PDB file of all heavy atoms in Angstrom:
ATOM      1  N   GLY R 163     177.801 216.185  16.738  1.00 96.00           N
ATOM      2  CA  GLY R 163     176.958 216.982  15.847  1.00 96.00           C
ATOM      3  C   GLY R 163     176.172 216.168  14.848  1.00 96.00           C
ATOM      4  O   GLY R 163     175.522 216.733  13.959  1.00 96.00           O
ATOM      5  N   VAL R 164     176.201 214.832  14.957  1.00 97.00           N
ATOM      6  CA  VAL R 164     175.456 213.959  14.039  1.00 97.00           C
ATOM      7  C   VAL R 164     174.421 213.184  14.850  1.00 97.00           C
ATOM      8  O   VAL R 164     174.761 212.466  15.796  1.00 97.00           O
ATOM      9  CB  VAL R 164     176.387 212.975  13.314  1.00 97.00           C
ATOM     10  CG1 VAL R 164     175.584 212.107  12.338  1.00 97.00           C
ATOM     11  CG2 VAL R 164     177.491 213.719  12.587  1.00 97.00           C
ATOM     12  N   LEU R 165     173.170 213.326  14.475  1.00 96.00           N
ATOM     13  CA  LEU R 165     172.092 212.659  15.187  1.00 96.00           C
ATOM     14  C   LEU R 165     171.216 211.912  14.191  1.00 96.00           C
ATOM     15  O   LEU R 165     170.831 212.450  13.153  1.00 96.00           O
ATOM     16  CB  LEU R 165     171.248 213.682  15.952  1.00 96.00           C
ATOM     17  CG  LEU R 165     170.029 213.139  16.718  1.00 96.00           C
ATOM     18  CD1 LEU R 165     170.473 212.185  17.820  1.00 96.00           C
ATOM     19  CD2 LEU R 165     169.209 214.286  17.287  1.00 96.00           C
ATOM     20  N   ALA R 166     170.908 210.654  14.508  1.00 96.00           N
ATOM     21  CA  ALA R 166     169.999 209.832  13.701  1.00 96.00           C
ATOM     22  C   ALA R 166     168.767 209.515  14.534  1.00 96.00           C
ATOM     23  O   ALA R 166     168.851 208.754  15.507  1.00 96.00           O
ATOM     24  CB  ALA R 166     170.684 208.557  13.248  1.00 96.00           C
ATOM     25  N   GLU R 167     167.644 210.107  14.162  1.00 96.00           N
ATOM     26  CA  GLU R 167     166.391 209.890  14.888  1.00 96.00           C
ATOM     27  C   GLU R 167     165.559 208.852  14.139  1.00 96.00           C
ATOM     28  O   GLU R 167     165.119 209.107  13.015  1.00 96.00           O
ATOM     29  CB  GLU R 167     165.609 211.202  14.992  1.00 96.00           C
ATOM     30  CG  GLU R 167     166.365 212.315  15.704  1.00 96.00           C
ATOM     31  CD  GLU R 167     165.626 213.635  15.662  1.00 96.00           C
ATOM     32  OE1 GLU R 167     164.733 213.794  14.788  1.00 96.00           O
ATOM     33  OE2 GLU R 167     165.933 214.509  16.488  1.00 96.00           O
ATOM     34  N   PRO R 168     165.338 207.667  14.713  1.00 94.00           N
ATOM     35  CA  PRO R 168     164.617 206.604  13.999  1.00 94.00           C
ATOM     36  C   PRO R 168     163.239 207.050  13.512  1.00 94.00           C
ATOM     37  O   PRO R 168     162.508 207.753  14.221  1.00 94.00           O
ATOM     38  CB  PRO R 168     164.494 205.498  15.055  1.00 94.00           C
ATOM     39  CG  PRO R 168     165.631 205.745  15.993  1.00 94.00           C
ATOM     40  CD  PRO R 168     165.776 207.245  16.054  1.00 94.00           C
ATOM     41  N   VAL R 169     162.925 206.658  12.274  1.00 94.00           N
ATOM     42  CA  VAL R 169     161.594 206.891  11.708  1.00 94.00           C
ATOM     43  C   VAL R 169     161.128 205.592  11.051  1.00 94.00           C
ATOM     44  O   VAL R 169     161.939 204.773  10.638  1.00 94.00           O
ATOM     45  CB  VAL R 169     161.587 208.032  10.670  1.00 94.00           C
ATOM     46  CG1 VAL R 169     161.955 209.349  11.298  1.00 94.00           C
ATOM     47  CG2 VAL R 169     162.508 207.723   9.503  1.00 94.00           C
ATOM     48  N   GLU R 170     159.822 205.418  10.990  1.00 89.00           N
ATOM     49  CA  GLU R 170     159.257 204.245  10.329  1.00 89.00           C
ATOM     50  C   GLU R 170     158.700 204.658   8.972  1.00 89.00           C
ATOM     51  O   GLU R 170     158.020 205.680   8.858  1.00 89.00           O
ATOM     52  CB  GLU R 170     158.154 203.625  11.188  1.00 89.00           C
ATOM     53  CG  GLU R 170     158.630 203.145  12.552  1.00 89.00           C
ATOM     54  CD  GLU R 170     159.745 202.128  12.468  1.00 89.00           C
ATOM     55  OE1 GLU R 170     159.781 201.358  11.487  1.00 89.00           O
ATOM     56  OE2 GLU R 170     160.597 202.092  13.373  1.00 89.00           O
ATOM     57  N   THR R 171     159.030 203.877   7.945  1.00 88.00           N
ATOM     58  CA  THR R 171     158.572 204.160   6.591  1.00 88.00           C
ATOM     59  C   THR R 171     157.802 202.953   6.065  1.00 88.00           C
ATOM     60  O   THR R 171     157.642 201.952   6.762  1.00 88.00           O
ATOM     61  CB  THR R 171     159.762 204.458   5.670  1.00 88.00           C
ATOM     62  OG1 THR R 171     160.639 203.315   5.652  1.00 88.00           O
ATOM     63  CG2 THR R 171     160.550 205.661   6.169  1.00 88.00           C
ATOM     64  N   THR R 172     157.344 203.066   4.833  1.00 86.00           N
ATOM     65  CA  THR R 172     156.571 201.973   4.248  1.00 86.00           C
ATOM     66  C   THR R 172     157.358 200.670   4.253  1.00 86.00           C
ATOM     67  O   THR R 172     156.856 199.627   4.658  1.00 86.00           O
ATOM     68  CB  THR R 172     156.177 202.325   2.800  1.00 86.00           C
ATOM     69  OG1 THR R 172     155.496 203.577   2.803  1.00 86.00           O
ATOM     70  CG2 THR R 172     155.274 201.264   2.217  1.00 86.00           C
ATOM     71  N   ALA R 173     158.603 200.727   3.796  1.00 88.00           N
ATOM     72  CA  ALA R 173     159.446 199.537   3.784  1.00 88.00           C
ATOM     73  C   ALA R 173     160.343 199.529   5.024  1.00 88.00           C
ATOM     74  O   ALA R 173     160.794 200.585   5.473  1.00 88.00           O
ATOM     75  CB  ALA R 173     160.298 199.508   2.515  1.00 88.00           C
TER      76      ALA R 173
END
Side-chain angles (χ1 to χ4, degrees):
V164 182
L165 178 63
E167 301 174 340
V169 297
E170 299 302 329
T171 60
T172 305

